[in-house]
């Protein structure tokens, strides 16, 4: 994981993770104010210590997520407590998750009679333990139970990573079938559960929490341009068939607003996508021995001929000459 990753994590969430160890290992100062934030590299170090102190327990993430309380999720936890339905809580999680962690994104998708709350790391996936992802998903299920009741369970949960331990704790804690090596990390919920109204609720208190959360969210993202956020997203996104609407959804913008913001910054979606393809192609040529017809789809191009043409435009030399000049290792 690069040390320059700008993502940060709320100190209150780090405290919840660090508290999973008996001795409080992890190098995080427990008395830090809740509004403080850690760089992602520091958060990863906390997880390294927790997993190590736990004897590399593959289920530590599940247990941590299942113990999450409202105060561990910054103001998002309090917003969720005042939501009138699971649908409203899921939308709040999608909007305000950066207040808890900028290392991943939550999105909500409806498909007929079911809905999916998806989670995707925005840091390099290799820099995130499976337990970290499982803690987020278990935390989503735990937060849903604040609204729907302790006996509530989703229809299903899926993870993109392989199962790292026995299956029983997954089904016991999450309360539903769990699949691994899936296309997405997601919590699947019935539309009926999503839309069931909760009583009583307090809309005025909810509005106060949301106004505060919006101010914090604006403060968190101020100084980071829309173009920078798109660049960060494209670093780890599949570049084959990616559309402006995909990143707009992640950034909680309409495609039109995204285009306008990029135009005002003197760039465009096409320019940023081209930049991402150029960077990924160069990285693959330098660090792998993959043939051009394998690299082309990795950067969203139709084949070796298209890659040669694009790369020559980008760098002024062919991919073969570029690779030869840098003598990248093969594998």
């Amino acid at each position: 994981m690069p040390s320059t990753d700008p993502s940060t994590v709320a100190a209150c969430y780090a405290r919840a993770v660090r508290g999973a160890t008996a001795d409080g290992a992890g190098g995080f100062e427990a008395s830090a104010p809740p509004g403080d934030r850690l760089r992602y590299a520091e958060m990863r170090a906390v997880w390294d210590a927790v997993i190590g102190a736990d004897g590399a327990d593959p289920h530590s993430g599940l247990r941590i997520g299942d113990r999450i309380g409202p105060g561990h999720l910054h103001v998002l936890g309090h917003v969720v407590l005042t939501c009138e339905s699971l649908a409203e809580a899921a939308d709040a999680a999608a909007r305000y998750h950066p207040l808890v962690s900028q290392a991943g994104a939550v999105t909500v998708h409806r498909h007929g009679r079911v809905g999916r709350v998806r989670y995707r790391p925005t840091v390099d996936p290799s820099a995130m333990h499976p337990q970290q992802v499982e803690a987020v998903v278990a935390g989503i299920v735990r937060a849903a139970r604040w609204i729907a009741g302790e006996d509530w369970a989703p229809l299903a949960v899926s993870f993109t990573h392989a199962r790292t331990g026995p299956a029983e704790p997954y089904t016991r804690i999450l309360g539903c079938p769990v699949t691994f090596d899936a296309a997405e990390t997601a919590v699947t919920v019935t539309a009926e559960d999503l839309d069931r109204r909760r009583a009583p609720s307090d809309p005025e208190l909810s509005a106060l929490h949301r106004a505060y959360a919006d101010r914090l969210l604006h403060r968190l993202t101020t100084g980071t341009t829309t173009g920078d956020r798109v660049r960060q997203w494209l670093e780890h996104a599949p570049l084959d068939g990616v559309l402006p609407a995909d990143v707009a959804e992640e950034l909680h913008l309409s495609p039109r607003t995204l285009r306008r913001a990029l135009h005002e910054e003197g760039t465009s979606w096409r320019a940023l996508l081209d930049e991402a393809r150029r960077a990924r192609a160069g990285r693959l040529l330098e660090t792998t021995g993959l043939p051009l017809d394998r690299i082309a789809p990795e950067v969203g191009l139709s084949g070796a001929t298209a890659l040669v043409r694009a790369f020559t435009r980008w760098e002024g030399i062919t991919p073969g000459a570029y690779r030869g000049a840098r003598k990248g290792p093969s594998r």
Side-chain angles (χ1 to χ4, degrees), residues 19 23 55 68 77 84-85 87 120 124 145 166 168 173 177 186 222 225 228 278 284 321:
D23 61 358
I68 286 293
E84 294 184 347
S85 66
R120 181 183 64 82
D124 184 344
R145 288 173 177 154
E168 187 275 334
I173 290 175
T222 296
T225 67
D228 288 339
R278 176 180 183 171
L284 290 171

Side-chain angles (χ1 to χ4, degrees), residues 25 28 31 63 138 142 168 198 209 211 221 229 277 282 288 312:
F28 172 69
S31 62
R63 293 201 316 276
R142 169 53 52 199
E168 187 275 334
R198 173 195 190 196
H209 287 319
T221 57
R229 297 168 70 193
R277 286 173 169 163
T288 78
T312 303

Side-chain angles (χ1 to χ4, degrees), residues 33-34 42 49 78 88 90 102 125 128 149 210-211 217 225 237 242 278 297-298:
E42 297 174 286
H78 301 289
E88 188 178 312
Q102 294 176 300
M128 188 172 282
R210 286 173 183 271
L217 192 62
T225 67
V242 66
R278 176 180 183 171
E298 291 292 325

Side-chain angles (χ1 to χ4, degrees), residues 139-150:
I140 289 171
V141 173
R142 169 53 52 199
R145 288 173 177 154
W146 303 339
I147 297 173
E150 186 62 32

Side-chain angles (χ1 to χ4, degrees), residues 75-93 95-96 99 147 197-198 200-215:
V75 70
L76 172 59
H78 301 289
V79 172
V80 169
L81 285 176
T82 59
C83 287
E84 294 184 347
S85 66
L86 288 182
E88 188 178 312
D91 288 340
R95 177 170 179 79
Y96 299 119
L99 294 178
I147 297 173
R197 308 308 290 180
R198 173 195 190 196
S201 61
D202 191 337
E204 292 184 2
L205 182 58
S206 179
L208 286 173
H209 287 319
R210 286 173 183 271
Y212 178 52
D214 283 331
R215 290 198 300 272

